[in-house]
Amino acid sequence: MTIEEIENQLVEEFGLFDDWMDKYNYLIEMGKSLPVIDEKLKTDRYLISGCQSKVWVSAEMKDGKVIFKADSDAIITKGVISLLIRVLSNQTPDDIINANLSFLDKIGLKEHLSPTRSNGLTSMIKQMKLYALAFKAKMSK
Amino acid sequence: MKESTLNKIRSDFPALNQKINGRPLIYFDNAATTLKPEVVTDSIATYYNSINSNVHRGVHFLSQEATDAFENARISIQKFINASHSHEIIFTKGTTESINLIAYSFSKNFIKEGDEIIISVMEHHANIVPWQMVCEEKGAKLKIIPMDDAGNLIIEDFENLITEKTKIVSVSHISNVLGIVNPVKKIIEISHKYNIPVMVDGAQGIVHKKIDVAELDCDFYCFSGHKIYGPMGVGVLYGKEKWLEKMPPYQTGGEMIKNVTFKKTTFNELPFKFEAGTPNVGGVIGLQAALNYLSATGLDIIYDYEEELLKYAIEKLSLIDGLQSYGTASNKSGVISFLLDGIHQYDAGTILDKLGIAVRTGNHCAQPLIDSIGISGTIRASFAMYNTKDEIDKFAEAILTVQEMFG
Ligand SMILES: Cc1ncc(COP(=O)(O)O)c(C=O)c1O
């Protein structure tokens, strides 16, 4: 699926909840079911220090697509990460670089992307795009 | 406090009258900044809508009015904290600037290489970093008063830290993270035995305790207007005349000079020596209005009620399983800090916000303290005179909801 298709799918899924609590319960579920990353990767090298919650993110290239793995010590942050991974992982570097991620706004979770919330998510997205750029540069060599 | 008094107070704070995420706001982030009573915002609006002139410079009518109002506020604040002279009250933009002023000006004349400065483990970054900078610049050393597990500063250890090289002691009156009321009087007595001056960071102290600087005998006391129901951008530095006289200006420019030629400038006297440039006149007038409001409500009534609220909150939270409190010493005021087993403070804060409850989560600008406890942050609820037991009940229920959601 393309990034846009997955985004639409998520907007639809979240559209089922009219109560914020159901939405957050769902997010918490997603956070809990996110495959935990290898403890080996939970090092400073992959750490994005967000002050309030910590975020780790790593990336590798497989068959022209970027595979992201990420984790956080806070569950809600982890829930949002799981959405971002669903959208951005297994896509081409170009598509990742160009993704605008407006779906978070549509499902009412934009507040978690505010840099002043210092949960590491804004930096995480920046980091994911940087990984994509780096892979793109490597490919074109 | 009588219910009618409480209701009257609540009606004086328009910000209480709003819904957050569809629920009536429960504002428990008072240690970060308090809400403002309407008399404060009114007084600021009145200043700008009528007097609005610069102080100490015009011969015209309004300039005189502004100067009178400004200097009158200085006298109000002098009386509020019982300082000996009104020129011992310096207006700044807040606690942070007050501490920076002292660190800069005091160290210029009194700190040299090898000297020592003592602070405590539970300081806000505003009472750590300025002293660290001084130490770096002068080659001085920063020493730290430790605390016990309940959050009491260890006074015997403090006395042992003092040497003939100790030049100043700077401690918070009340911890913004734990709410512990530090034994500042004792610290001042001990320091004065060795002729060492003491600065008290009163950012949290000013709002929960009657401050009498003469009785405390502190050499400096700092606070921010916005944490005592006044506006942001205005603060106070109280300093004993004998110290302020011996300290050089912090910033220079207009207003703080006596005579300027291109060869040499002589400085104005206290308090103007430390007030370079146009001051925050509206803010100062707003701060005076806040203090008047407190006095009219009755300081003792407020302090007693806040104590009652805190006791009630501690009791309520102690009934919740899986809740860990920090700073459990008995001498507490205004603040509780805690964590929920297995739940990140960020997650808890996010859900509490959804439930209309404003708390602060994180390290509260006191990272060394949080590190020393060995945690990554806390959830902090801090109370003010307009909070109610009913709000605390709702808070306790909300905590159960959080536990359920993440359980
Ligand atoms: C104990 C303490 N000191 C200093 C400060 C800094 O105050 P301000 O930011 O108003 O300058 C605060 C504010 O949080 C505080 O709680």
Side-chain angles (χ1 to χ4, degrees), chain B residues 31 94-96 124 126 174 176 201 203-204 224 226-227:
Chain B
T95 309
T96 302
H124 186 281
I174 297 181
N176 67 310
D201 171 354
Q204 302 296 335
S224 303
H226 72 96
K227 291 186 200 276

Side-chain angles (χ1 to χ4, degrees), chain A residues 20-21 24-25 28 32 52-53 73-77 111-112 117 119, chain B residues 23 344-347 350-351 353-355 361-363 401 405-407:
Chain A
W20 70 267
M21 207 182 262
Y24 272 80
N25 278 328
I28 291 165
K32 282 184 182 159
Q52 286 245 25
S53 55
D73 56 351
I75 287 283
I76 291 177
T77 307
E111 65 203 59
H112 294 284
R117 244 184 130 88
N119 55 12
Chain B
R23 292 164 193 253
H344 196 284
Q345 65 271 12
Y346 175 80
D347 288 330
T350 302
I351 299 302
D353 172 58
K354 289 281 164 202
L355 293 165
T361 59
N363 68 27
T401 306
M405 286 182 77
F406 293 98

